[in-house]
Amino acid sequence: MKTATPDTLEKSSQNTEVNGKAAFYRRIDWSIVGMVLAIKGLVFIAGWLSYHLMLDKRPAGFYGWLEMWHRWDALRYIRLAEKGYGGTGDSSDLVGFPLFPTLIRMLNFIVGDAMVSGFIVAGIASVAAAVLLHKLAQVDENENVARNSAWFLLIFPTAYYLHINYTEGLFLAMAVGSFLFARKGNWKLAMAFGFLACMTRLNGLVLVPALMVEAFQQYRETRKWRMDWILIAAIPLGFAVHLLINYNITGNAFAFFEIGSTHYHKALTPPWVGISQTYNRMFSTGAEDGITNGTFELFFVLLGFAGIAASAFWLRLAYTVWIAINWLIFTSTNFILSAPRYTLSLFPLFIIFAKLAERSFWYTVLTTASLLFLGIFLAQFVRGHWVFG
């Protein structure tokens, strides 16, 4: 397989810019958009059926279809969109980063309903995430692998978070977009997407070391220094926006760290501390809690670790850096929580799955396993059970 070089990618980027086209370098594959919308519709239908059959009651009208998904962190983002950081009355809301609620607030001026606006923002973001991942995979892989990368993202067991009022879809769109434009040689857009990723989630900061590694690899391949690589240093300014909000509200730019530690009872530890406690929870709690917060959490922790090794063997070094540091972020705590949801951000995993799926055996196994557990998780979620929210 021939890997595209930065020189050829840069020339492609420059030719596109001459035509005044800004965002995409090739025509959007509308079949990917259609796939996202079809899966989105099926996820909502499956949620409705699960809610109706297992609770023996119907959701109340159109809002009922949405409210069954409106739980846990989603409530925070809607409060922030409606009332702002100073008006929610809940200090724990400071842990929420500003881009998602800001977009909801802007759309809400037109829609007039913050919850519905949130679903629209999340819906657009999920489409963008799949399209951008498809385009990113196309840079180094064949079309079949690129298309299946988007497929495995959309059917991942926690992929329902892409479609509801959570930051997963928006963050993935920004992070994948940043990687895509870095690979294309457009470092201005890579910086812009990275800035927005840092306004969406704390781990947007991982783009800094990941893109530094990508820039270094491009330098080794071309032996050409590019001044616009320095734009990587501007990416953390998105994080600075969140610090400024915290400072304006509390007088402490890092108040959200203290609030998060107190509210979620977490402390920074080596990964093996949290992993060992997760293992113990498999046996020391009730059946549902032991499976959800023990078995499933541990499985996805191990999946992420396996992804680090597979990425180091199969993908560019920047992808490995992205998976490894993100994995350390959600495992370096005394109490590992929501690892299956956070694993959704490890997008190179889906390229790895797609490469494995070139063999029909692995395509069948991965697809079947993903769909089965997606069904289990979303059924639990809509019924109000804790499922990595």
Side-chain angles (χ1 to χ4, degrees):
M1 178 184 69
K2 185 177 179 181
T3 300
T5 66
D7 271 347
T8 58
L9 296 172
E10 183 180 352
K11 289 177 182 177
S12 173
S13 172
Q14 290 170 347
N15 290 337
T16 305
E17 289 174 347
V18 167
N19 294 327
K21 309 297 183 181
F24 296 111
Y25 298 107
R26 292 196 301 271
R27 179 180 58 84
I28 294 175
D29 189 332
W30 291 101
S31 66
I32 298 293
V33 177
M35 181 168 66
V36 180
L37 296 178
I39 292 175
K40 188 185 298 291
L42 291 170
V43 164
F44 281 110
I45 291 171
W48 181 86
L49 288 172
S50 299
Y51 184 91
H52 185 28
L53 290 171
M54 296 180 183
L55 295 180
D56 194 24
K57 61 180 180 180
R58 292 177 180 270
F62 170 73
Y63 275 85
W65 278 70
L66 301 182
E67 286 174 344
M68 71 175 72
W69 299 98
H70 192 54
R71 306 180 187 279
W72 316 116
D73 284 2
L75 302 175
R76 167 181 299 126
Y77 291 110
I78 299 306
R79 284 197 301 268
L80 289 172
E82 291 178 329
K83 301 177 181 179
Y85 282 89
T88 68
D90 187 343
S91 62
S92 69
D93 285 345
L94 281 171
V95 304
F97 276 56
L99 183 60
F100 188 49
T102 299
L103 293 175
I104 295 172
R105 190 181 188 92
M106 293 169 61
L107 184 61
N108 195 37
F109 285 115
I110 301 171
V111 176
D113 187 296
M115 185 179 70
V116 174
S117 298
F119 277 96
I120 295 173
V121 172
I124 295 171
S126 65
V127 172
V131 169
L132 290 167
L133 180 60
H134 174 244
K135 292 175 73 67
L136 177 61
Q138 281 180 323
V139 175
D140 296 312
E141 309 293 343
N142 62 54
E143 175 58 23
N144 192 50
V145 170
R147 185 169 297 276
N148 280 334
S149 297
W151 166 247
F152 286 116
L153 164 66
L154 294 168
I155 65 167
F156 194 66
T158 51
Y160 54 92
Y161 282 107
L162 297 172
H163 310 297
I164 61 179
N165 287 332
Y166 275 71
T167 59
E168 264 60 31
L170 183 62
F171 179 72
L172 269 173
M174 297 302 108
V176 174
S178 187
F179 266 89
L180 171 63
F181 290 114
R183 292 290 289 119
K184 292 283 190 176
N186 189 331
W187 289 89
K188 292 179 182 178
L189 282 177
M191 181 276 291
F193 274 74
F195 175 93
L196 294 174
C198 285
M199 282 186 64
T200 308
R201 294 258 290 267
L202 174 64
N203 50 328
L205 291 171
V206 182
L207 284 166
V208 175
L211 295 189
M212 287 176 66
V213 167
E214 175 60 30
F216 177 70
Q217 187 165 353
Q218 290 187 17
Y219 173 75
R220 290 189 61 184
E221 291 167 352
T222 65
R223 293 299 175 183
K224 293 181 180 179
W225 173 263
R226 294 188 53 166
M227 285 301 297
D228 51 4
W229 286 336
I230 201 170
L231 292 171
I232 297 171
I235 288 175
L237 292 176
F239 175 60
V241 174
H242 189 55
L243 297 182
L244 182 60
I245 291 170
N246 276 255
Y247 182 80
N248 286 337
I249 298 297
T250 68
N252 177 8
F254 294 93
F256 71 100
F257 274 126
E258 298 174 7
I259 293 169
S261 176
T262 302
H263 190 77
Y264 297 106
H265 309 290
K266 286 192 172 186
L268 186 64
T269 66
W272 54 84
V273 173
I275 292 172
S276 65
Q277 292 193 11
T278 301
Y279 174 79
N280 291 333
R281 285 204 301 274
M282 293 169 58
F283 310 102
S284 63
T285 59
E288 182 175 334
D289 185 51
I291 292 173
T292 301
N293 295 322
T295 304
F296 287 147
E297 293 279 355
L298 183 61
F299 175 81
F300 283 90
V301 166
L302 296 176
L303 177 63
F305 187 78
I308 299 172
S311 179
F313 181 74
W314 266 341
L315 305 180
R316 290 177 74 84
L317 182 57
Y319 293 146
T320 307
V321 171
W322 175 259
I323 297 178
I325 298 179
N326 274 287
W327 184 86
L328 285 171
I329 289 173
F330 67 74
T331 59
S332 297
T333 176
N334 62 313
F335 182 65
I336 295 175
L337 190 67
S338 300
R341 175 160 66 95
Y342 296 143
T343 303
L344 192 61
S345 298
L346 309 183
F347 64 85
L349 276 178
F350 307 117
I351 302 176
I352 293 169
F353 290 168
K355 289 171 74 69
L356 282 170
E358 289 197 285
R359 296 185 178 183
S360 60
F361 171 81
W362 284 110
Y363 180 88
T364 302
V365 169
L366 290 169
T367 296
T368 303
S370 293
L371 289 172
L372 285 173
F373 284 101
L374 174 61
I376 292 171
F377 290 172
L378 72 83
Q380 288 287 88
F381 186 92
V382 297
R383 291 187 296 143
H385 293 247
W386 172 263
V387 194
F388 327 119

